[in-house]
């Protein structure tokens, strides 16, 4: 699907304010998802500013934070700080510590990809303790079955939810937003509005700077260890995005890795293999660690072997489903895919792609490169 971009006559900040204002004009309940991350902070600052200026009412607003237990200490402090701000402004702030399912990239060895946050049977090894005011149960929540997305959709179905999701973070999000607009939907099927969906990474960081918004210090730590601007993502500690940085973060949070390994013993894999294909790393250090012959590997042949017996190479349910999606993509592109393309497919399925972020990016990249090569061969500009 072709995606056309248009230049607006107003800034992305003003556009976001218009969307927020329109949401609150409906007179229905408004739920705002809060995570403590950079995008969430931008959206929260806008909403809080508009409440304080009298542009919107706080009475209908409920801020929801789903605490995933394994989070950085500075994220917890950030959420506590913003909880006070919203409560003082007259809005509701609900902090949930419930037994929801979460993806765990360290559970490869046990074939179990469902991490239960705040698991009642593992209370002795929780990464941290929940705050006293946390909500521990809800009539609409199915303990140990629901993901937090399923729970939030069910709980917030009587109103409109605003989130800090941005389309520049992944090809998948860009296509979903474009498809919604193309169909002329006024709102998504999940009753979500994305006020800052069109903000770029530069827009986010510039807004945080200009508004003097305090960010969690983990972003500064990530930047110091060489993390690229587009990879500055903070999520639950057992997700693939964060797992790659756990070893380096131990320098800034000395006891963090100890608590994580106590909660999830397989987390030691990060210390041993974080610079390998298990975590999708492509660094000079990895090249030195691997044999020189690795660079000459025929990845198309490797994929043919793996996809020929998916049950053998992917015994766990979630990774098997992901591998099947990748196999369909491989069959579509194998006639013109390069060895580099096949390597990207191979490493994505081996390291895990639970949210299919890499899948969408690889799909787009392979077809774009193929079209560009075809044009070059025909002399078309």
């Amino acid at each position: 699907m072709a995606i056309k971009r248009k230049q607006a006559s107003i800034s992305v900040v003003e556009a976001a304010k218009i969307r927020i204002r329109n949401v609150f004009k409906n007179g229905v309940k408004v739920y705002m998802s809060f995570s403590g991350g950079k995008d969430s902070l931008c959206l929260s600052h806008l909403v809080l500013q508009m409440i304080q200026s009298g542009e919107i009412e706080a009475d209908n607003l409920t801020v929801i934070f789903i605490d995933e237990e394994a989070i950085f200490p500075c994220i917890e402090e950030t959420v506590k700080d913003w909880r006070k701000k919203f409560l003082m402004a007259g809005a509701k702030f609900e902090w949930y510590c419930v037994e929801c399912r979460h993806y765990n990239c360290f559970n490869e060895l046990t074939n179990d990809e469902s991490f239960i946050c705040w698991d009642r049977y593992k209370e002795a090894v929780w990464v941290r303790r929940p705050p006293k005011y946390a909500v521990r149960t809800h009539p609409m929540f199915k303990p140990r079955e629901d993901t937090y997305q399923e729970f939030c959709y069910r709980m917030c179905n009587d109103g409109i939810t605003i989130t800090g999701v941005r389309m520049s973070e992944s090809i998948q999000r860009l296509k979903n937003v474009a498809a919604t607009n193309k169909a002329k939907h006024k709102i998504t099927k999940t009753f979500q509005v994305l006020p800052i969906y069109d903000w770029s990474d530069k827009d986010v960081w510039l807004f945080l700077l200009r508004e003097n918004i305090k960010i969690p210090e983990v972003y500064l730590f990530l930047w110091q260890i060489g993390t690229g601007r587009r990879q500055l993502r903070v999520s639950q500690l057992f997700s693939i995005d964060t797992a790659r940085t756990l070893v380096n973060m131990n320098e800034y949070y000395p006891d963090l890795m100890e608590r994580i390994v106590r909660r999830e013993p397989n987390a030691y894999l990060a210390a041993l293999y974080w610079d390998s294909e298990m975590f999708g790393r492509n660094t000079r250090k990895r090249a030195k660690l691997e044999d020189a012959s690795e660079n000459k590997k025929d990845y198309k042949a490797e994929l043919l072997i793996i996809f020929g017996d998916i049950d053998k190479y992917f015994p766990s349910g979630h990774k098997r489903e992901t591998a099947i999606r990748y196999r369909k993509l491989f069959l579509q592109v194998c006639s013109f895919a390069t060895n580099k393309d096949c390597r990207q497919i191979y490493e994505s399925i081996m390291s895990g792609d639970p949210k299919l972020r890499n899948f969408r990016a690889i799909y787009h990249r392979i077809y774009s490169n193929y079209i560009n090569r075809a044009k070059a061969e025909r002399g078309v500009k």
Side-chain angles (χ1 to χ4, degrees):
M1 178 184 69
I3 298 174
K4 186 177 181 179
R5 301 174 187 266
K6 292 184 178 180
Q7 187 73 29
S9 58
I10 59 176
S11 69
V12 290
V13 175
E14 189 57 38
K17 288 183 177 180
I18 292 173
R19 295 167 190 140
I20 294 170
R21 197 176 295 119
N22 289 338
V23 168
F24 279 83
K25 280 183 179 179
N26 286 279
V28 299
K29 291 181 180 179
V30 179
Y31 299 94
M32 185 175 72
S33 177
F34 186 78
S35 67
K38 62 184 188 302
D39 301 336
S40 182
L41 289 175
C42 289
L43 177 58
S44 298
H45 185 78
L46 284 174
V47 171
L48 192 59
Q49 272 189 333
M50 296 176 73
I51 290 175
Q52 293 170 341
S53 64
E55 296 179 71
I56 59 177
E57 297 292 333
D59 296 346
N60 289 339
L61 175 63
T62 301
V63 184
I64 295 176
F65 172 62
I66 305 296
D67 191 330
E68 298 168 306
E69 182 195 337
I71 60 176
F72 287 107
C74 59
I75 293 294
E76 181 180 8
E77 293 306 313
T78 298
V79 178
K80 287 180 179 179
D81 183 39
W82 279 87
R83 175 179 177 270
K84 293 178 182 178
K85 292 181 180 181
F86 279 110
L87 290 177
M88 290 179 66
K92 302 181 187 69
F93 194 107
E94 297 180 353
W95 186 313
Y96 286 93
C97 293
V98 291
E99 292 180 291
C100 58
R101 292 190 296 111
H102 198 287
Y103 182 79
N104 181 1
C105 69
F106 294 128
N107 277 355
E108 301 293 322
L109 298 181
T110 58
N111 299 328
D112 173 19
E113 293 168 307
S114 294
F115 172 79
I116 304 297
C117 300
W118 307 109
D119 192 334
R120 73 188 75 170
Y121 303 114
K122 297 182 179 181
E123 183 174 351
V125 293
W126 282 350
V127 176
R128 35 179 280 276
R129 309 301 300 180
K132 295 180 180 179
Y133 44 77
V135 180
R136 303 304 308 279
T137 185
H138 191 279
M140 294 185 181
F141 179 68
K142 300 176 182 177
R144 311 180 72 82
E145 295 182 23
D146 281 343
T147 61
Y148 74 85
Q149 294 94 335
E150 292 169 336
F151 169 51
C152 287
Y153 169 69
R154 194 181 306 119
M155 179 178 58
C156 304
N157 205 33
D158 61 341
I160 299 175
T161 301
I162 57 176
T163 69
V165 170
R166 293 185 298 114
M167 64 181 184
S168 66
E169 287 201 318
S170 70
I171 294 297
Q172 183 179 10
R173 290 179 177 178
L174 173 60
K175 290 188 174 183
N176 287 341
V177 172
T180 300
N181 292 336
K182 183 179 179 182
K184 301 188 183 301
H185 292 309
K186 302 299 181 184
I187 194 170
T188 64
K189 293 181 180 179
T190 54
F191 304 112
Q192 282 193 352
V193 173
L194 316 176
I196 64 170
Y197 80 93
D198 50 354
W199 289 32
S200 66
D201 288 330
K202 290 182 179 179
D203 292 328
V204 169
W205 291 113
L206 183 60
F207 183 78
L208 292 170
L209 175 64
R210 286 180 173 175
E211 296 296 320
N212 195 28
I213 302 172
K214 183 180 178 181
I215 62 174
E217 60 184 359
V218 65
Y219 284 115
L220 303 178
F221 298 156
L222 288 171
W223 182 258
Q224 289 172 14
I225 65 174
T227 305
R229 189 180 64 203
R230 292 188 61 83
Q231 281 70 50
L232 288 175
R233 291 178 174 176
V234 177
S235 57
Q236 197 253 19
L237 299 180
F238 298 151
S239 66
I240 191 65
D241 292 332
T242 304
R244 299 165 180 165
T245 64
L246 283 181
V247 176
N248 286 325
M249 286 299 100
N250 200 47
E251 176 182 347
Y252 302 99
Y253 302 108
D255 66 331
L256 182 61
M257 199 63 186
E258 180 182 345
R259 287 186 283 127
I260 290 173
V261 172
R262 187 168 63 245
R263 178 69 166 90
E264 176 47 64
N266 285 335
Y268 76 93
L269 291 172
L272 295 177
Y273 304 114
W274 85 284
D275 235 339
S276 70
E277 67 184 20
M278 178 179 291
F279 294 104
R281 296 282 294 176
N282 289 293
T283 63
R284 292 180 181 178
K285 183 177 179 181
R286 173 184 167 185
K288 293 179 180 179
L289 291 173
E290 296 176 346
D291 295 331
S293 60
E294 185 73 14
N295 296 324
K296 301 178 182 179
K297 181 186 290 187
D298 185 347
Y299 284 95
K300 182 176 289 187
E302 292 291 328
L303 289 175
L304 288 172
I305 295 173
I306 291 173
F307 289 143
D309 194 351
I310 286 181
D311 291 341
K312 173 184 176 181
Y313 291 96
F314 306 100
S316 61
H318 193 283
K319 291 208 71 172
R320 188 161 52 245
E321 293 175 4
T322 302
I324 291 174
R325 291 287 299 274
Y326 271 95
R327 181 173 63 182
K328 291 180 180 179
L329 170 62
F330 176 71
L331 292 175
Q332 293 174 4
V333 304
C334 63
S335 60
F336 57 84
T338 65
N339 192 55
K340 182 179 179 180
D341 296 331
C342 293
R343 175 175 177 167
Q344 291 172 341
I345 295 175
Y346 174 84
E347 294 190 342
S348 289
I349 59 176
M350 298 306 291
S351 62
D353 189 13
K355 298 182 179 180
L356 293 178
R357 289 174 178 168
N358 291 341
F359 178 88
R360 301 293 183 184
I362 291 172
Y363 179 95
H364 184 268
R365 191 182 303 120
I366 289 177
Y367 275 101
S368 294
N369 292 341
Y370 172 68
I371 292 172
N372 291 334
R373 290 198 301 270
K375 287 181 177 180
E377 291 174 359
R378 297 183 181 182
V380 179
K381 295 184 179 179

